[in-house]
Amino acid sequence: MSDTHRGLAVLVLLSAASLAVGAADLWGGGLDTGLLLAVSRVPRTCAALLAGAGLALAGVVIQQTVQNRLVEPGLTGTPEAAMIGLLGVTLAAPGAALPIKMGAASAAALAGTAGFFLLARHVPRRDPMLLPLVGLIYAGILGATALWIAWSADLVQFIGIWQTGEFSGVLRGRYEFLWLIAALAVALYLLADRITLLGLGEDRARSLGLDYRGTVLAGLAIVALSVAVVVVTVGAMPFVGLVVPNIVSRFRGDNLRRNLPLVAMLGGSLVLGADVIGRLVRWPYEIPAATVFSIVGAALFLWLLNAKGGRLRG
């Protein structure tokens, strides 16, 4: 059985578990099973899968663009910039429609991601840990700015919602923008060879005939829109864009076009698995999927660092 088939099998099992698990009894209690599935369980399952896939694919693009496997969207200021955009549109037009909020968040996320990319060009590449540390500081500054704006406008509760990725509020009619991630995944697949060339560095990529600036802008736009859609719909999810691309490349190599479907499946599966665990740990109460994945993601990240360190020592 191939890795793709195994991934699909795991995805099906997790989806079935997600449809069956919840505070409400699916098969009893006088509830309309079909209505419960259509309104809550199916949208929630799709939202978790799409959010995980989108963040994992965004991580691939960021790592190729800055040529560093220890960077992810959460270390580029992208979620924090999206929150600033959301705060801005909330203050300027509180009754704005969701597409307008999504557009403002995406534009701010793109500006924040571009800021990190420009900053990264001036960071020495001798130590691979230096760029993630710079990104952590950069994201912290943007996060502090968002918190200050929210505090001044008495909107701190919104920051708390956007920072904690969870799916309990996902219902039919409140998650459909996440399907944009599917379209972005197709666009990324078509750009896979060009994104791969970004990992060679600007000079070598240009020597091979790549439109370097145009490809970088296309990649950053995919990252910004993916992260903005996730933040607006379900909140930020840490570590997904960091650990998933590294796990796939560790076992499958660096053929980006071949790896993208597996990256998307693994990202969706891990986030959906975290959501299912969060529903079971304190049933009938829930722990946010972001909290569960923070623990799992930190453990996976430490394992990856140890594995990389072992290869270097060998």
Side-chain angles (χ1 to χ4, degrees):
M1 182 182 291
S2 67
D3 292 335
T4 302
H5 290 153
R6 292 191 190 97
L8 286 173
V10 171
L11 205 62
V12 170
L13 290 174
L14 285 172
S15 298
S18 177
L19 295 177
V21 172
D25 185 357
L26 189 63
W27 308 112
L31 295 174
D32 186 331
T33 300
L35 182 63
L36 178 62
L37 287 172
V39 172
S40 177
R41 300 283 175 86
V42 171
R44 181 170 185 163
T45 301
C46 291
L49 292 173
L50 290 168
L55 293 175
L57 293 174
V60 170
V61 176
I62 284 293
Q63 290 172 9
Q64 289 291 121
T65 302
V66 300
Q67 305 167 60
N68 191 308
R69 294 292 180 84
L70 301 179
V71 177
E72 65 141 349
L75 294 176
T76 62
T78 308
E80 290 79 9
M83 293 176 198
I84 292 175
L86 281 172
L87 286 171
V89 74
T90 300
L91 291 172
L98 187 58
I100 296 176
K101 293 181 179 179
M102 194 76 68
S106 300
L110 180 59
T113 309
F116 173 80
F117 179 73
L118 293 175
L119 188 64
R121 293 170 66 92
H122 301 286
V123 176
R125 302 302 173 88
R126 294 186 297 273
D127 184 355
M129 293 299 297
L130 184 57
L131 186 58
L133 290 175
V134 171
L136 188 65
I137 296 170
Y138 177 72
I141 293 172
L142 292 181
T145 302
L147 183 59
W148 176 77
I149 295 172
W151 182 271
S152 301
D154 196 23
L155 295 174
V156 176
Q157 69 275 14
F158 288 94
I159 293 292
I161 294 171
W162 297 330
Q163 287 180 334
T164 305
E166 59 94 23
F167 300 91
S168 62
V170 173
L171 297 171
R172 185 175 61 190
R174 295 182 58 183
Y175 85 102
E176 280 75 10
F177 272 103
L178 283 172
W179 285 104
L180 285 173
I181 290 174
L184 294 172
V186 173
L188 181 57
Y189 188 81
L190 296 175
L191 291 171
D193 294 335
R194 298 182 184 182
I195 298 295
T196 299
L197 292 179
L198 291 180
L200 299 177
E202 182 174 356
D203 293 337
R204 294 182 65 184
R206 289 185 184 278
S207 69
L208 293 171
L210 180 71
D211 179 6
Y212 184 81
R213 178 173 296 180
T215 305
V216 167
L217 288 176
L220 295 183
I222 290 173
V223 171
L225 187 53
S226 298
V227 174
V229 169
V230 173
V231 170
V232 170
T233 308
V234 298
M237 297 284 297
F239 287 112
V240 180
L242 176 63
V243 300
V244 173
N246 278 286
I247 290 173
V248 174
S249 65
R250 176 176 173 80
F251 293 104
R252 291 281 298 260
D254 295 322
N255 187 325
L256 186 59
R257 183 179 295 277
R258 186 184 66 178
N259 288 348
L260 282 178
L262 194 57
V263 168
M265 284 193 292
L266 182 58
S269 297
L270 289 176
V271 172
L272 182 58
D275 184 44
V276 172
I277 291 172
R279 287 183 251 174
L280 291 173
V281 170
R282 293 192 62 197
W283 188 91
Y285 305 103
E286 293 190 16
I287 298 174
T291 303
V292 176
F293 198 88
S294 293
I295 299 171
V296 176
L300 289 172
F301 180 54
L302 292 174
W303 170 72
L304 288 168
L305 284 179
N306 182 66
K308 287 178 183 295
R311 289 204 304 272
L312 290 175
R313 288 192 296 271

